[in-house]
């Protein structure tokens, strides 16, 4: 079984909250009632979008393990508007504190159509413009997109994973899931 889930902002990518005692952060169990499925990879609590879950360990490894180089596409709303030089440095790969990143795809994009409102909304500043970027990666360092946009001088305000390989969140509202084809 393979499940495509549109993870809302603030939801943990696990079925239980092993955080602070008494913590009541929302988890996957608030949305998905299928037994025996587990996330194929992670998506930070403050990121939104596609999370795949499966009951097939081999498929889980193929999706999540960076050695398989499955492309992931993200939509990142960033502070400011990166110039062509910043985008080119991103494409070539950047040096982060844990080492270099692989080359990555990036391009400016129009705001995504039919994008849902985030709860809570992002912080807007009248004096600082923002823009949307489409980012394509084939690796998965911790908080990589956020760290890469910050490294080119454009911190991420909102991050949505749109697709993993052939699977996308097309047609899924936040908190909704569906069985996906293998």
């Amino acid at each position: 079984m393979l499940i495509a889930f549109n993870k809302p902002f603030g939801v943990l990518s696990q079925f239980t909250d092993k955080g602070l005692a008494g913590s009541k952060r929302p988890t996957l169990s608030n949305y998905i009632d299928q037994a025996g499925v587990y996330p194929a990879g992670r998506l930070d609590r403050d990121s939104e979008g596609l999370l795949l879950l499966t009951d097939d360990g081999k498929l889980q490894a193929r999706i999540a393990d960076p050695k398989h180089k499955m492309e992931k596409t993200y939509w990142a709303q960033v502070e400011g508007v990166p110039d062509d030089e910043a985008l080119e440095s991103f494409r070539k790969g950047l040096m982060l504190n844990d080492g270099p990143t692989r080359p990555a795809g990036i391009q400016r994009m129009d705001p995504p159509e039919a994008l849902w409102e985030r709860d809570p909304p992002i912080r807007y500043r009248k004096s600082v413009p923002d823009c949307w970027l489409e980012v394509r990666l084939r690796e998965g360092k911790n908080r990589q997109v956020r760290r890469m946009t910050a490294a080119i001088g454009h911190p991420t305000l909102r991050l949505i994973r749109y697709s993993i390989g052939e699977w996308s969140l097309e047609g899924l509202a936040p908190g909704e899931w569906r069985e996906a084809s293998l």
Side-chain angles (χ1 to χ4, degrees):
M1 171 182 281
L2 181 66
I3 290 175
F5 173 57
N6 188 348
K7 186 190 89 59
F9 178 86
V11 174
L12 297 176
S13 293
Q14 56 200 39
F15 282 94
T16 58
D17 182 1
K18 296 177 183 160
L20 302 172
S23 174
K24 294 291 183 195
R25 299 177 296 186
T27 67
L28 298 177
S29 62
N30 293 89
Y31 298 91
I32 299 170
D33 59 359
Q34 293 290 312
V37 296
Y38 300 95
R42 301 185 69 77
L43 195 56
D44 295 330
R45 191 175 73 138
D46 55 353
S47 298
E48 308 163 70
L50 184 63
L51 185 65
L52 297 175
L53 299 96
T54 183
D55 59 357
D56 180 334
K58 288 183 180 179
L59 178 60
Q60 185 179 23
R62 186 170 63 89
I63 293 168
D65 194 325
K67 74 180 178 187
H68 296 291
K69 297 183 175 79
M70 187 169 285
E71 185 172 84
K72 296 170 181 74
T73 302
Y74 297 84
W75 295 338
Q77 185 178 18
V78 298
E79 194 172 272
V81 180
D83 61 21
D84 292 340
E85 184 178 323
L87 296 179
E88 189 56 32
S89 66
F90 194 104
R91 288 181 189 110
K92 290 178 179 176
L94 298 167
M95 181 57 72
L96 301 178
N97 61 358
D98 59 348
T101 66
R102 292 182 182 149
I106 188 169
Q107 63 185 17
R108 287 181 215 95
M109 63 181 279
D110 292 332
E113 289 187 31
L115 185 63
W116 58 89
E117 294 294 320
R118 195 185 87 172
D119 183 23
I122 67 160
R123 171 185 52 94
Y124 284 102
R125 297 192 311 179
K126 290 181 181 181
S127 62
V128 179
D130 63 71
C131 88
W132 283 91
L133 303 171
E134 180 186 80
V135 176
R136 294 174 315 285
L137 301 176
R138 291 187 179 271
E139 63 183 331
K141 293 177 182 275
N142 185 39
R143 300 181 68 81
Q144 183 173 347
V145 174
R146 291 178 187 281
R147 293 188 302 139
M148 288 179 78
T149 62
I152 63 168
H154 298 277
T156 296
L157 302 170
R158 186 175 182 188
L159 185 62
I160 300 166
R161 182 162 56 201
Y162 176 73
S163 67
I164 301 171
E166 64 192 66
W167 302 285
S168 78
L169 58 76
E170 187 73 33
L172 283 176
E176 289 184 351
W177 63 272
R178 66 171 171 253
E179 280 197 49
S181 59
L182 295 172

